Amino acid sequence: MPVTTVGTAQVHVDTEGFLTDYDEWDEQLGRQLAAAIGIEMTDAHWTPIRFLRADFPELGQTATLRRVSTLTGIPIKDLFTLFPGKPAKKMAYIAGLPKPHGCV
């Protein structure tokens, strides 16, 4: 896997830039990844990101947008507001997780 530098951290990524090693991520890196795609993290942003991080080891894959919405109680329209365009893909990127299945 390719290695790239984000801030001062060297991390392993896939060809699309998604982290491939769950343990290389921390919230500081998440802030830097978010900034790289134009998102300034607020408390509202951290709720779904922390959910994704906690859910991934249990599920073995990145949760879908519907799962995030259902289990966090955050309406899908609010996720689109927080992470405009492709929220599932952007949340996975910021959370340091693989791109969700079904994302193009």
Side-chain angles (χ1 to χ4, degrees):
M1 288 288 152
V3 175
T4 192
T5 302
V6 179
T8 59
Q10 291 216 329
V11 294
H12 294 84
V13 296
D14 65 13
T15 56
E16 294 182 79
F18 287 82
L19 269 66
T20 57
D21 185 338
Y22 180 86
D23 295 322
E24 290 180 341
W25 187 91
D26 61 25
E27 288 195 4
Q28 179 60 32
L29 182 61
R31 279 186 206 84
Q32 293 169 333
L33 292 168
I37 59 172
I39 294 175
E40 186 176 334
M41 297 297 285
T42 65
D43 289 341
H45 289 90
W46 283 114
T47 299
I49 298 302
R50 289 178 182 135
F51 168 79
L52 285 171
R53 293 289 302 172
D55 191 60
F56 182 81
E58 257 181 61
L59 200 58
Q61 63 185 21
T62 305
T64 63
L65 192 60
R66 182 173 306 281
R67 181 173 173 84
V68 173
S69 177
T70 300
L71 296 179
T72 63
I74 303 169
I76 289 176
K77 69 179 181 97
D78 291 354
L79 293 171
F80 270 91
T81 300
L82 291 167
F83 305 95
K86 297 183 177 184
K89 189 173 180 179
K90 288 180 179 181
M91 288 188 300
Y93 179 78
I94 294 166
L97 300 173
K99 183 171 68 172
H101 293 291
C103 276
V104 288

